[in-house]
Amino acid sequence: ALQNWLSAGGGTLMLDPVDQGMGYLTGPLTVPNERHICGTSPSGIYLYNAGGWVSRLFFKPGSTGALLNGTGSQNVIIENICIDGLNIMQTAGPPLIYIGDTNNSNETSWHIRDVLLYRAPGDAISLGQGNRSVEISGRTFIYNCMANGIRVRSSDCRFNNLCIGQCYNAGILYEQGGWTNVIYGCEIWECFTGITIQSCESIQIIGCFIDSMYQHGIYAFSTTSLTISSNHFTPSSQALDTAAMNICLDQCTATMPLVIGNTFYKPSWASSAKLPGYCIYSPNPYIETGNSYQAGVFRWAIDNGTGATTVENTLQHKGTKAGFYNATPIAKPTITGSRGG
């Protein structure tokens, strides 16, 4: 019945709220252009009300395609619903929401907001190449996924005010094709990595809370024009491991990444055995300014390719003057602070 409505006409598909533990059990659905899928409860997706639990979609076990497949579709809104992958046995499978690769150069214009996605057999949301202008926002919660919270190979996307946790791979994974993207005001916790960026361009990560990853908080590989600003990092959730960094910048050489105004903090509940290897690690130059480091947390480390690592953990705040790390200085300062002489 759901697919018949989606295929037959436009407008809004209103899913009535049902009692706790009940909902609409369905296999893969194809989402055409200009559809609005939403719940009917005005009280939000996590609250009970007189009508029961808010609208829920359950993914039929054993399905081989994505629950909601919007490949090639434009102007779609999904809001105020709970999407449960029912992956109780923790087996690998398809994503919950999938917008596949397309040659369409126009705006995809999907907006996903106020949605709970959990127990996904694969990625909660997967965005393929050729798509533009996908926004995921509001009180959207993504957790307990067998792959990534969000997998991105699309451009001009914006993710804000999300909570993403307990994903087997990355909270957010950017792959080649993901460029000119903004992540703002998100909380990511207890994933293998918080945000992984591979061979991308023009990514901004601003004002996020990145907490207790199993490996890196942010891992960027061969990425151009990367800004990491005003984020809050806490240590790895694993035992002390020098391979686990809050920020790891690997082969980001085309333009120097900008790391500005971040806080690296070890909360009172974290033991000294759960510190990151380093707050910031890069084998290549990067620009750092205005970052704040709690005493006892390693500040930064750089490796010139010689195998010799430099670690600083005495100065706890760099202030506002930019520092170019792992770069050759123009001239060596004298003891008076002047250049040359």
Side-chain angles (χ1 to χ4, degrees):
L2 295 178
Q3 185 60 69
N4 290 339
W5 182 92
L6 288 169
S7 301
T12 300
L13 172 60
M14 304 288 289
L15 300 175
D16 292 331
V18 293
D19 292 335
Q20 182 184 15
M22 300 181 65
Y24 302 86
L25 180 66
T26 180
L29 300 171
T30 299
V31 182
N33 290 332
E34 299 180 354
R35 297 298 189 269
H36 183 189
I37 303 173
C38 70
T40 58
S41 170
S43 62
I45 62 176
Y46 310 110
L47 302 179
Y48 291 95
N49 57 32
W53 188 265
V54 75
S55 308
R56 297 162 66 97
L57 282 177
F58 289 110
F59 198 15
K60 185 178 294 184
S63 297
T64 56
L67 174 56
L68 297 175
N69 188 332
T71 301
S73 297
Q74 298 173 280
N75 304 320
V76 173
I77 298 174
I78 301 173
E79 63 177 339
N80 202 25
I81 60 174
C82 167
I83 301 177
D84 185 348
L86 281 180
N87 193 27
I88 300 171
M89 301 305 294
Q90 300 289 290
T91 56
L96 296 180
I97 298 176
Y98 178 68
I99 308 175
D101 296 348
T102 178
N103 293 321
N104 187 356
S105 61
N106 294 324
E107 302 293 324
T108 301
S109 297
W110 274 56
H111 193 173
I112 301 168
R113 62 195 181 207
D114 296 333
V115 173
L116 169 61
L117 301 108
Y118 74 115
R119 296 196 291 194
D123 304 320
I125 301 172
S126 181
L127 308 176
Q129 290 184 326
N131 297 291
R132 297 174 56 190
S133 188
V134 175
E135 181 168 343
I136 306 173
S137 64
R139 298 167 296 170
T140 293
F141 275 63
I142 299 171
Y143 73 94
N144 194 9
C145 303
M146 282 298 293
N148 307 286
I150 306 173
R151 181 187 179 195
V152 189
R153 293 188 294 160
S154 304
S155 65
D156 301 286
C157 297
R158 183 179 180 91
F159 310 136
N160 60 82
N161 297 322
L162 313 180
C163 288
I164 304 174
Q166 299 180 355
C167 299
Y168 275 51
N169 295 334
I172 301 176
L173 169 64
Y174 283 99
E175 296 180 311
Q176 188 169 10
W179 51 277
T180 315
N181 278 250
V182 177
I183 305 171
Y184 177 79
C186 297
E187 180 177 354
I188 305 174
W189 80 97
E190 292 184 4
C191 302
F192 188 75
T193 58
I195 302 171
T196 297
I197 308 166
Q198 302 174 348
S199 303
C200 298
E201 181 177 347
S202 299
I203 306 294
Q204 292 186 332
I205 304 169
I206 305 170
C208 295
F209 193 99
I210 300 176
D211 177 27
S212 300
M213 298 303 124
Y214 286 83
Q215 279 291 311
H216 308 310
I218 295 175
Y219 173 64
F221 173 82
S222 190
T223 293
T224 302
S225 186
L226 171 65
T227 300
I228 302 171
S229 175
S230 305
N231 302 287
H232 188 108
F233 294 87
T234 59
S236 167
S237 61
Q238 297 300 288
L240 179 62
D241 182 357
T242 56
M245 320 295 177
N246 286 143
I247 300 174
C248 182
L249 308 172
D250 190 3
Q251 300 184 35
C252 300
T253 57
T255 59
M256 286 189 287
L258 176 61
V259 183
I260 178 172
N262 299 282
T263 299
F264 300 89
Y265 177 70
K266 183 180 77 68
S268 58
W269 48 259
S271 70
S272 59
K274 292 186 176 181
L275 292 175
Y278 306 106
C279 292
I280 307 171
Y281 176 86
S282 176
N284 303 107
Y286 64 97
I287 304 173
E288 185 215 38
T289 180
N291 294 295
S292 181
Y293 306 84
Q294 183 190 8
V297 178
F298 286 134
R299 282 206 64 241
W300 51 265
I302 53 178
D303 189 331
N304 291 310
T306 63
T309 300
T310 302
V311 181
E312 178 184 342
N313 64 354
T314 54
L315 297 178
Q316 302 307 318
H317 198 295
K318 287 299 296 180
T320 59
K321 294 184 178 180
F324 291 77
Y325 291 105
N326 207 17
T328 302
I330 297 173
K332 182 178 181 180
T334 68
I335 194 170
T336 62
S338 62
R339 292 189 178 274

